[in-house]
Amino acid sequence: MTADTNPEKLLPLSTVVFHILLVLADKARHGYNIMKAIEEITQGQIKMGPGTFYGSIKRLLEANLIEESDERPDPDLDDERRRYYRLTPFGQQVLKAEVERLSHLLRYAESRRLLQSTT
């Protein structure tokens, strides 16, 4: 995965990458918190091991989709060894493009009566 000025060139995202970006959309999180959030939002369907997770984090850092954050929610209660990650502006663009792509597919599925409309 390489950074590019056109977010669509990175699509479609892998399931793991999509979920990592998705849980980082609202705030910076540390690695274990990211893995637990993914497990929660997928209702346990996706459980990542450290190898898969940190390999993906490395590629996301290299592609400039995420960056390490120096901000700590509460430095007195936090373990200084934790690394926090947040989306970059480019990462936000890529995530938005992927959400739009998936939304289009869902609308298509709804139009074929493969999925009940939520509206």
mmCIF file of all heavy atoms in Angstrom, residues 6 16 18 20 26 30 34-36 39 41 52 59 65 68-70 73 79 82 86 93 100 105 114-116:
data_model
loop_
_atom_site.group_PDB
_atom_site.id
_atom_site.type_symbol
_atom_site.label_atom_id
_atom_site.label_comp_id
_atom_site.label_asym_id
_atom_site.label_seq_id
_atom_site.Cartn_x
_atom_site.Cartn_y
_atom_site.Cartn_z
ATOM 1 N N ASN A 6 -4.551 10.502 -4.801
ATOM 2 C CA ASN A 6 -5.908 10.103 -5.145
ATOM 3 C C ASN A 6 -6.345 8.943 -4.246
ATOM 4 O O ASN A 6 -5.894 7.823 -4.432
ATOM 5 C CB ASN A 6 -5.969 9.689 -6.619
ATOM 6 C CG ASN A 6 -7.361 9.322 -7.073
ATOM 7 O OD1 ASN A 6 -8.299 9.285 -6.275
ATOM 8 N ND2 ASN A 6 -7.502 9.041 -8.353
ATOM 9 N N VAL A 16 -9.292 -5.639 7.282
ATOM 10 C CA VAL A 16 -8.526 -5.213 8.453
ATOM 11 C C VAL A 16 -8.228 -3.718 8.385
ATOM 12 O O VAL A 16 -8.453 -2.976 9.355
ATOM 13 C CB VAL A 16 -7.222 -6.034 8.587
ATOM 14 C CG1 VAL A 16 -6.299 -5.440 9.636
ATOM 15 C CG2 VAL A 16 -7.544 -7.484 8.910
ATOM 16 N N PHE A 18 -9.750 -1.364 6.650
ATOM 17 C CA PHE A 18 -10.989 -0.596 6.762
ATOM 18 C C PHE A 18 -11.396 -0.451 8.227
ATOM 19 O O PHE A 18 -11.717 0.644 8.688
ATOM 20 C CB PHE A 18 -12.111 -1.245 5.955
ATOM 21 C CG PHE A 18 -13.429 -0.547 6.127
ATOM 22 C CD1 PHE A 18 -13.635 0.720 5.603
ATOM 23 C CD2 PHE A 18 -14.467 -1.148 6.820
ATOM 24 C CE1 PHE A 18 -14.846 1.369 5.774
ATOM 25 C CE2 PHE A 18 -15.681 -0.508 6.991
ATOM 26 C CZ PHE A 18 -15.878 0.755 6.468
ATOM 27 N N ILE A 20 -9.571 -0.741 10.959
ATOM 28 C CA ILE A 20 -8.627 0.084 11.724
ATOM 29 C C ILE A 20 -8.913 1.567 11.473
ATOM 30 O O ILE A 20 -9.028 2.359 12.411
ATOM 31 C CB ILE A 20 -7.156 -0.261 11.386
ATOM 32 C CG1 ILE A 20 -6.806 -1.656 11.904
ATOM 33 C CG2 ILE A 20 -6.202 0.791 11.970
ATOM 34 C CD1 ILE A 20 -5.452 -2.176 11.446
ATOM 35 N N ASP A 26 -12.861 8.724 14.983
ATOM 36 C CA ASP A 26 -13.331 9.700 15.960
ATOM 37 C C ASP A 26 -12.275 10.146 16.961
ATOM 38 O O ASP A 26 -12.406 11.212 17.549
ATOM 39 C CB ASP A 26 -14.557 9.166 16.702
ATOM 40 C CG ASP A 26 -14.277 7.876 17.474
ATOM 41 O OD1 ASP A 26 -13.305 7.190 17.150
ATOM 42 O OD2 ASP A 26 -15.058 7.569 18.394
ATOM 43 N N HIS A 30 -4.837 3.599 21.295
ATOM 44 C CA HIS A 30 -3.647 2.751 21.348
ATOM 45 C C HIS A 30 -3.995 1.387 20.740
ATOM 46 O O HIS A 30 -5.166 1.046 20.539
ATOM 47 C CB HIS A 30 -3.080 2.637 22.765
ATOM 48 C CG HIS A 30 -4.008 2.048 23.766
ATOM 49 N ND1 HIS A 30 -4.204 0.693 23.902
ATOM 50 C CD2 HIS A 30 -4.793 2.642 24.700
ATOM 51 C CE1 HIS A 30 -5.061 0.470 24.874
ATOM 52 N NE2 HIS A 30 -5.440 1.646 25.370
ATOM 53 N N ILE A 34 -7.645 -0.337 19.829
ATOM 54 C CA ILE A 34 -8.107 -0.472 18.442
ATOM 55 C C ILE A 34 -8.612 -1.893 18.202
ATOM 56 O O ILE A 34 -9.702 -2.099 17.666
ATOM 57 C CB ILE A 34 -6.980 -0.119 17.440
ATOM 58 C CG1 ILE A 34 -6.594 1.354 17.554
ATOM 59 C CG2 ILE A 34 -7.408 -0.460 16.008
ATOM 60 C CD1 ILE A 34 -5.322 1.715 16.809
ATOM 61 N N MET A 35 -7.822 -2.881 18.614
ATOM 62 C CA MET A 35 -8.226 -4.282 18.407
ATOM 63 C C MET A 35 -9.528 -4.600 19.128
ATOM 64 O O MET A 35 -10.407 -5.268 18.579
ATOM 65 C CB MET A 35 -7.113 -5.230 18.859
ATOM 66 C CG MET A 35 -5.900 -5.206 17.948
ATOM 67 S SD MET A 35 -4.696 -6.513 18.294
ATOM 68 C CE MET A 35 -3.995 -5.967 19.840
ATOM 69 N N LYS A 36 -9.684 -4.120 20.359
ATOM 70 C CA LYS A 36 -10.908 -4.385 21.128
ATOM 71 C C LYS A 36 -12.105 -3.668 20.508
ATOM 72 O O LYS A 36 -13.208 -4.213 20.469
ATOM 73 C CB LYS A 36 -10.743 -3.978 22.594
ATOM 74 C CG LYS A 36 -9.718 -4.801 23.349
ATOM 75 C CD LYS A 36 -9.883 -6.289 23.183
ATOM 76 C CE LYS A 36 -10.955 -6.882 24.042
ATOM 77 N NZ LYS A 36 -11.103 -8.341 23.877
ATOM 78 N N GLU A 39 -13.236 -5.644 17.504
ATOM 79 C CA GLU A 39 -13.945 -6.838 17.954
ATOM 80 C C GLU A 39 -15.370 -6.478 18.403
ATOM 81 O O GLU A 39 -16.332 -7.187 18.090
ATOM 82 C CB GLU A 39 -13.174 -7.483 19.101
ATOM 83 C CG GLU A 39 -13.713 -8.821 19.520
ATOM 84 C CD GLU A 39 -12.847 -9.497 20.578
ATOM 85 O OE1 GLU A 39 -11.634 -9.228 20.636
ATOM 86 O OE2 GLU A 39 -13.415 -10.287 21.343
ATOM 87 N N ILE A 41 -17.277 -3.691 17.488
ATOM 88 C CA ILE A 41 -18.191 -3.230 16.432
ATOM 89 C C ILE A 41 -18.546 -4.339 15.450
ATOM 90 O O ILE A 41 -19.576 -4.259 14.779
ATOM 91 C CB ILE A 41 -17.661 -1.985 15.673
ATOM 92 C CG1 ILE A 41 -16.398 -2.289 14.882
ATOM 93 C CG2 ILE A 41 -17.495 -0.817 16.604
ATOM 94 C CD1 ILE A 41 -15.968 -1.178 13.957
ATOM 95 N N THR A 52 -1.029 -9.734 12.737
ATOM 96 C CA THR A 52 -1.866 -9.125 11.688
ATOM 97 C C THR A 52 -2.052 -7.645 11.964
ATOM 98 O O THR A 52 -1.898 -6.805 11.070
ATOM 99 C CB THR A 52 -3.245 -9.814 11.638
ATOM 100 O OG1 THR A 52 -3.053 -11.187 11.316
ATOM 101 C CG2 THR A 52 -4.159 -9.165 10.616
ATOM 102 N N ARG A 59 2.103 -0.849 7.730
ATOM 103 C CA ARG A 59 1.788 -0.458 6.351
ATOM 104 C C ARG A 59 0.977 0.841 6.300
ATOM 105 O O ARG A 59 1.189 1.676 5.413
ATOM 106 C CB ARG A 59 1.052 -1.583 5.631
ATOM 107 C CG ARG A 59 1.964 -2.773 5.314
ATOM 108 C CD ARG A 59 1.296 -3.822 4.447
ATOM 109 N NE ARG A 59 0.143 -4.447 5.094
ATOM 110 C CZ ARG A 59 0.209 -5.427 5.989
ATOM 111 N NH1 ARG A 59 1.388 -5.910 6.359
ATOM 112 N NH2 ARG A 59 -0.887 -5.934 6.522
ATOM 113 N N LEU A 65 -1.497 6.951 6.053
ATOM 114 C CA LEU A 65 -2.932 6.940 6.358
ATOM 115 C C LEU A 65 -3.170 7.175 7.845
ATOM 116 O O LEU A 65 -4.222 7.680 8.240
ATOM 117 C CB LEU A 65 -3.574 5.623 5.927
ATOM 118 C CG LEU A 65 -3.512 5.332 4.423
ATOM 119 C CD1 LEU A 65 -4.143 3.987 4.117
ATOM 120 C CD2 LEU A 65 -4.173 6.431 3.636
ATOM 121 N N GLU A 68 1.505 8.304 14.393
ATOM 122 C CA GLU A 68 1.565 8.181 15.849
ATOM 123 C C GLU A 68 1.204 9.526 16.454
ATOM 124 O O GLU A 68 1.544 10.576 15.915
ATOM 125 C CB GLU A 68 2.955 7.756 16.314
ATOM 126 C CG GLU A 68 3.190 6.284 16.143
ATOM 127 C CD GLU A 68 4.409 5.786 16.896
ATOM 128 O OE1 GLU A 68 4.614 6.198 18.063
ATOM 129 O OE2 GLU A 68 5.154 4.996 16.305
ATOM 130 N N SER A 69 0.485 9.460 17.555
ATOM 131 C CA SER A 69 0.054 10.656 18.256
ATOM 132 C C SER A 69 0.788 10.759 19.579
ATOM 133 O O SER A 69 0.927 9.767 20.295
ATOM 134 C CB SER A 69 -1.461 10.589 18.498
ATOM 135 O OG SER A 69 -1.868 11.642 19.331
ATOM 136 N N ASP A 70 1.247 11.957 19.906
ATOM 137 C CA ASP A 70 1.898 12.187 21.198
ATOM 138 C C ASP A 70 0.885 12.498 22.295
ATOM 139 O O ASP A 70 1.215 12.502 23.465
ATOM 140 C CB ASP A 70 2.898 13.346 21.099
ATOM 141 C CG ASP A 70 4.082 13.010 20.214
ATOM 142 O OD1 ASP A 70 4.434 11.817 20.139
ATOM 143 O OD2 ASP A 70 4.637 13.937 19.594
ATOM 144 N N PRO A 73 -4.637 10.564 26.660
ATOM 145 C CA PRO A 73 -5.894 10.945 27.288
ATOM 146 C C PRO A 73 -5.708 11.415 28.733
ATOM 147 O O PRO A 73 -6.269 12.403 29.147
ATOM 148 C CB PRO A 73 -6.750 9.684 27.244
ATOM 149 C CG PRO A 73 -5.903 8.608 26.707
ATOM 150 C CD PRO A 73 -4.609 9.193 26.228
ATOM 151 N N ASP A 79 -0.079 4.088 30.391
ATOM 152 C CA ASP A 79 1.212 3.409 30.326
ATOM 153 C C ASP A 79 2.029 4.095 29.230
ATOM 154 O O ASP A 79 1.614 4.131 28.074
ATOM 155 C CB ASP A 79 0.977 1.927 29.994
ATOM 156 C CG ASP A 79 2.257 1.120 29.995
ATOM 157 O OD1 ASP A 79 3.346 1.693 29.788
ATOM 158 O OD2 ASP A 79 2.155 -0.098 30.187
ATOM 159 N N ARG A 82 2.623 2.611 25.650
ATOM 160 C CA ARG A 82 1.579 2.537 24.628
ATOM 161 C C ARG A 82 1.837 3.546 23.523
ATOM 162 O O ARG A 82 2.234 4.676 23.777
ATOM 163 C CB ARG A 82 0.211 2.828 25.239
ATOM 164 C CG ARG A 82 -0.325 1.713 26.058
ATOM 165 C CD ARG A 82 -1.720 2.056 26.521
ATOM 166 N NE ARG A 82 -2.269 0.949 27.272
ATOM 167 C CZ ARG A 82 -3.216 1.059 28.167
ATOM 168 N NH1 ARG A 82 -3.743 2.243 28.436
ATOM 169 N NH2 ARG A 82 -3.666 0.000 28.797
ATOM 170 N N ARG A 86 -3.576 7.907 15.116
ATOM 171 C CA ARG A 86 -4.723 8.688 14.640
ATOM 172 C C ARG A 86 -4.665 8.768 13.122
ATOM 173 O O ARG A 86 -3.602 8.556 12.509
ATOM 174 C CB ARG A 86 -4.715 10.083 15.257
ATOM 175 C CG ARG A 86 -3.540 10.924 14.821
ATOM 176 C CD ARG A 86 -3.586 12.313 15.426
ATOM 177 N NE ARG A 86 -2.300 12.963 15.186
ATOM 178 C CZ ARG A 86 -1.704 13.758 16.041
ATOM 179 N NH1 ARG A 86 -2.262 14.033 17.194
ATOM 180 N NH2 ARG A 86 -0.545 14.306 15.741
ATOM 181 N N GLN A 93 -9.481 10.994 4.048
ATOM 182 C CA GLN A 93 -9.981 10.998 2.668
ATOM 183 C C GLN A 93 -10.175 9.582 2.150
ATOM 184 O O GLN A 93 -11.176 9.279 1.504
ATOM 185 C CB GLN A 93 -9.013 11.748 1.746
ATOM 186 C CG GLN A 93 -8.930 13.227 1.984
ATOM 187 C CD GLN A 93 -7.833 13.871 1.146
ATOM 188 O OE1 GLN A 93 -7.162 13.219 0.341
ATOM 189 N NE2 GLN A 93 -7.628 15.159 1.329
ATOM 190 N N GLU A 100 -18.005 5.666 0.966
ATOM 191 C CA GLU A 100 -18.858 6.007 -0.181
ATOM 192 C C GLU A 100 -18.972 4.830 -1.154
ATOM 193 O O GLU A 100 -20.041 4.535 -1.675
ATOM 194 C CB GLU A 100 -18.334 7.257 -0.885
ATOM 195 C CG GLU A 100 -18.552 8.513 -0.065
ATOM 196 C CD GLU A 100 -17.898 9.748 -0.661
ATOM 197 O OE1 GLU A 100 -17.261 9.664 -1.737
ATOM 198 O OE2 GLU A 100 -18.012 10.813 -0.022
ATOM 199 N N LEU A 105 -22.526 0.221 -3.009
ATOM 200 C CA LEU A 105 -22.824 -1.210 -3.119
ATOM 201 C C LEU A 105 -24.065 -1.591 -2.323
ATOM 202 O O LEU A 105 -24.877 -2.405 -2.782
ATOM 203 C CB LEU A 105 -21.621 -2.034 -2.641
ATOM 204 C CG LEU A 105 -20.378 -1.970 -3.523
ATOM 205 C CD1 LEU A 105 -19.227 -2.713 -2.851
ATOM 206 C CD2 LEU A 105 -20.654 -2.533 -4.898
ATOM 207 N N LEU A 114 -32.045 -7.345 -2.169
ATOM 208 C CA LEU A 114 -31.179 -8.268 -1.467
ATOM 209 C C LEU A 114 -30.997 -7.867 -0.011
ATOM 210 O O LEU A 114 -30.484 -8.636 0.795
ATOM 211 C CB LEU A 114 -29.807 -8.331 -2.153
ATOM 212 C CG LEU A 114 -29.830 -8.826 -3.601
ATOM 213 C CD1 LEU A 114 -28.458 -8.640 -4.235
ATOM 214 C CD2 LEU A 114 -30.251 -10.276 -3.646
ATOM 215 N N LEU A 115 -31.408 -6.663 0.292
ATOM 216 C CA LEU A 115 -31.238 -6.115 1.621
ATOM 217 C C LEU A 115 -32.429 -5.222 1.904
ATOM 218 O O LEU A 115 -32.849 -4.449 1.036
ATOM 219 C CB LEU A 115 -29.943 -5.291 1.652
ATOM 220 C CG LEU A 115 -29.499 -4.661 2.940
ATOM 221 C CD1 LEU A 115 -29.053 -5.755 3.917
ATOM 222 C CD2 LEU A 115 -28.337 -3.733 2.692
ATOM 223 N N GLN A 116 -32.979 -5.322 3.082
ATOM 224 C CA GLN A 116 -34.103 -4.465 3.419
ATOM 225 C C GLN A 116 -33.598 -3.040 3.566
ATOM 226 O O GLN A 116 -32.558 -2.797 4.178
ATOM 227 C CB GLN A 116 -34.756 -4.892 4.722
ATOM 228 C CG GLN A 116 -35.637 -6.086 4.588
ATOM 229 C CD GLN A 116 -36.402 -6.319 5.886
ATOM 230 O OE1 GLN A 116 -35.943 -5.968 6.952
ATOM 231 N NE2 GLN A 116 -37.560 -6.939 5.765
#
